[in-house]
Amino acid sequence: MSVIQDFINKSRGILDTIEAQQPQIQQAAKWFADSILAGRMVHVFGSGHSRIMVEEMWPRYGSFAGFNPIVELSLTFHNLVVGANGQRQAMFLENVPGFAERILRNFDLSKIDTALVISSSGTNIVPVEMAEIFQQRGIKVVALVTTQHSAASVSKRADGKKLTDFADLILDTGAPVGDAMVYVPNLDTPVAPGSTVGGATLINCLKAETARLLTEAGQPPKVLSAAVVVGAQRAVELFEGAYDEHAHRIAKMYANVGIPSYVSKNQSE
């Protein structure tokens, strides 16, 4: 069997794992839809390569407003690899206690909000603290992890707690321990990770189910759509409308954040 076929076969297995999680996906989407219908947002966070899943959720074709993509460049800026802003620094910062609190200090969180925190290992300090803070604020947390890999990994926190310890619901990417899935002859380390396959599939299952629930509730989302599908004018209307809706939602996250001012007092009137 070729290594290409091996990866394809293992990816099919990942899809089977996700298919078995439909009840959990439906529950998470229900929480997300409730937040969106209430005019609030679903906070989506991932550091490192988990950023891929954040951007897969929103904004891109086939997605819609209601999700707050929290991506910290210092934790996700990978293309330089070495030197200033290199990968070593990002991996170091991903395990700095207190960083998550400084990120969330920027938002006026509400118990009506929900959160999706993504981390394949579920052991790095920043995403774990992110979920912990969300729960402390009364926000339901959905954790997207690689269950086998997380179970075999050691938490970077002194108390040993992982992302799954601060989750109201857990979704599994279905990837193996170590993530990489394919062994090449005469190469002693596996290649080709599977968590992106599983993670992106879960994200889009959540997106589709949330869209269904919003539509059934009488609030069909403005979906970013290609001109070749809906026509040029309609595509522009959807993009502008979706972005404006995002602006209206995100404005609520800043209106009364932190220390009150005469501006925030006027805003609440």
Side-chain angles (χ1 to χ4, degrees), residues 191-269:
V191 298
S195 63
T196 304
V197 175
T201 303
L202 283 166
I203 289 294
N204 284 294
C205 287
L206 288 165
K207 191 185 303 178
E209 179 66 6
T210 303
R212 183 187 71 81
L213 292 168
L214 294 175
T215 302
E216 286 190 354
Q219 295 294 339
K222 299 178 182 69
V223 180
L224 304 182
S225 302
V228 294
V229 176
V230 298
Q233 182 177 346
R234 178 62 173 153
V236 171
E237 291 171 353
L238 286 168
F239 269 79
E240 293 295 335
Y243 291 160
D244 286 344
E245 181 181 326
H246 179 83
H248 303 155
R249 290 179 182 275
I250 202 69
K252 295 181 180 180
M253 303 296 159
Y254 300 135
N256 294 293
V257 69
I259 301 169
S261 67
Y262 75 91
V263 180
S264 62
K265 290 175 183 176
N266 290 340
Q267 192 82 352
S268 61
E269 291 176 355

